[in-house]
Amino acid sequence: MAPLQVVGRPEPLLRARDVTLEYRSGSRSVRATQDVSFDVFDGDRFVLLGPSGCGKSSLLKAAGGFLAPASGTFELDGRVVTQPGPERMAVFQEFDQLPPWKTVLQNVMFPLLAARTLGRAEARERALHWIDRVGLARFAHAYPHTLSGGMKQRVAIARALAMQPRVLLMDEPFAALDALTRRTMQEELTKLWDETRFTLLFVTHSIEEALVVGNRILLLSPHPGRVRAELNSHQFDLASGGSAEFQAAAQRIHGLLFDEAAAVPTDERIAL
């Protein structure tokens, strides 16, 4: 009789270990985060949520290899992150992240060609596939100045996902959009995730957005950012917004973020 195999929890894909981030401001050092730790598993939609100045965008930059921690580490597949790489693609909130002299197709193809892993024909085919997936097939040969803000963000998402990254990093990508377009983009993002199950690390200061985008949420305290709690939020989606359960969860998160007495142990995951 074969021995029983004990299946444990999988190893995290991306891990933050006691990450402290600092910036130089003139002659002094400003601390952005203090000893932040969390694990992101394959297929997670992991959200960093907190008020302005809590260091959530800095954590995203450090995960991408753009910012070196003062102490602690980010690890991807058990290897310490020391520089940017194509396995971690980022989408930011600025609309000018697309070179204006390149068409939509050329923008999406550019990192594929720069990585030198695909020939031009293969890069074009993959780029067109992802442009179609974000609903912009008719605009493949358009230039960025002819696109709306939401369309530009779709191009940026297509460009990132075309690289087939291990982790997609998104820094408040919909914050500058109007409410209706923001809702549409949230729908598009969750639909893409349902279809392809990529791993997402998403930054927002919106409690409602965190609940509908994420399946796990890390709450960060005000400056410097420290972990207040980690929440499981997989039960919510875009259709949940008007429910009493959703509103109660949003109120609870607000309390956890801003009420010191409501804090829970940082190594405890709780369901809303």
Side-chain angles (χ1 to χ4, degrees):
M1 184 175 181
L4 292 174
Q5 290 186 339
V6 179
V7 180
R9 191 174 190 185
E11 286 297 307
L13 174 60
L14 180 70
R15 168 170 281 176
R17 294 178 179 266
D18 301 317
V19 175
T20 295
L21 300 171
E22 295 179 347
Y23 289 96
R24 297 297 302 178
S25 179
S27 60
R28 66 190 186 96
S29 179
V30 177
R31 182 156 293 183
T33 68
Q34 178 73 49
D35 297 329
V36 172
S37 297
F38 59 86
D39 293 336
V40 180
F41 295 88
D42 189 35
D44 263 345
R45 304 188 314 274
F46 195 93
V47 176
L48 302 178
L49 173 64
S52 296
C54 70
K56 53 190 183 294
S57 292
S58 298
L59 286 166
L60 196 85
K61 291 175 183 176
F66 300 104
L67 178 64
S71 63
T73 59
F74 268 97
E75 298 175 5
L76 182 71
D77 282 328
R79 296 185 294 274
V80 176
V81 171
T82 59
Q83 61 186 2
E87 71 283 352
R88 287 156 288 130
M89 295 297 292
V91 177
F92 302 101
Q93 66 171 282
E94 296 84 3
F95 296 153
D96 60 356
Q97 58 192 293
L98 304 175
W101 59 89
K102 293 182 181 293
T103 65
V104 167
L105 176 58
Q106 291 168 341
N107 264 288
V108 178
M109 285 179 62
F110 177 73
L112 294 169
L113 295 174
R116 298 182 179 180
T117 56
L118 296 177
R120 179 167 290 275
E122 294 171 300
R124 177 185 173 85
E125 182 179 0
R126 188 186 294 181
L128 287 171
H129 168 79
W130 282 103
I131 291 168
D132 180 61
R133 292 292 288 274
V134 299
L136 292 176
R138 294 190 299 114
F139 298 90
H141 301 290
Y143 287 90
H145 75 273
T146 68
L147 306 178
S148 68
M151 293 167 74
K152 290 178 184 178
Q153 288 301 72
R154 292 187 191 194
V155 177
I157 293 169
R159 182 176 62 180
L161 289 176
M163 290 294 291
Q164 300 179 337
R166 301 299 309 282
V167 185
L168 177 62
L169 309 171
M170 303 190 80
D171 187 7
E172 302 200 59
F174 313 140
L177 300 173
D178 63 85
L180 206 57
T181 306
R182 183 173 187 163
R183 167 85 177 193
T184 300
M185 292 304 299
Q186 291 167 353
E187 291 174 348
E188 293 293 337
L189 181 64
T190 54
K191 180 181 177 182
L192 281 171
W193 185 86
D194 282 337
E195 293 171 353
T196 60
R197 299 292 167 138
F198 53 85
T199 303
L200 175 66
L201 182 61
F202 190 98
V203 164
T204 184
H205 63 268
S206 166
I207 293 173
E208 291 74 17
E209 182 168 68
L211 284 169
V212 300
V213 168
N215 66 338
R216 296 169 61 218
I217 304 172
L218 192 78
L219 305 186
L220 296 166
S221 66
H223 179 81
R226 295 180 175 87
V227 176
R228 296 298 305 274
E230 184 181 317
L231 314 175
N232 293 320
S233 57
H234 57 272
Q235 69 269 41
F236 299 114
D237 57 26
L238 283 161
S240 304
S243 70
E245 184 185 10
F246 185 93
Q247 296 304 320
Q251 286 297 319
R252 186 177 186 195
I253 288 176
H254 188 276
L256 288 168
L257 283 173
F258 299 107
D259 181 1
E260 290 292 335
V264 298
T266 57
D267 61 349
E268 181 180 347
R269 286 187 299 274
I270 58 177
L272 290 165

